[in-house]
Amino acid sequence: MSLSDTATKADTNTNTTIDPVSFREALGHFASGITIITTQVDDEPIGFTCQSFYSVSMNPPLVSFSVKASSFSYPKIRHAERFAVNILSSEQSHVSNQFAMRGADKWQGIDWQLSPLGNPVINDSLHWLDCEIHAEHPAGDHLIVIGEVKGLNLDVEGAARPLLYFKGKYEGLAGEEE
């Protein structure tokens, strides 16, 4: 069966209403890395946990993340017109959890410094990318934000492993639970 045959068969057997819980569960079977998107406005560090991050283009160097349109943090990032992507290591699940909370001091106990563009970069992250907002696109209940990478920190000598998220929990590269 070809891909077009599969698509035709799927089109005739699908229900037009997708159950949000089933949709979320299906997407949970796609492993993703965990990042913290950060900026600073008026000496206030801003950040949130984001797993919907990916590369877009090599030339120019573009990356993208998705954020809820109702996000409390993102309007501040939009105002700053810049952000950092902190790619978390497998040792930083507590950081991911802390930045996923609403209404808490996300920065309590977090060691960080400013990037060349003035964005908070979290110490001990695998890598970070310093970006300027390139474009923003509405997409359902989210926004797709594209950033142009202006700088980065790449620790190629480090032995740390990435923090992954799969089926609703943190995982290691070899399927070892974190």
Side-chain angles (χ1 to χ4, degrees), residues 106-118:
K106 297 178 181 184
W107 295 92
Q108 184 176 350
I110 302 295
D111 293 326
W112 60 278
Q113 57 193 310
L114 288 177
S115 71
L117 286 181

Side-chain angles (χ1 to χ4, degrees), residues 3 33 47-48 75 77 84-85 88 92 99 113 122 147 159 168-169 174-175 178:
L3 184 57
F48 64 91
I77 294 170
V85 179
L88 298 186
Q92 293 179 301
F99 277 84
Q113 57 193 310
I122 298 170
K169 61 185 176 181
E178 293 293 323

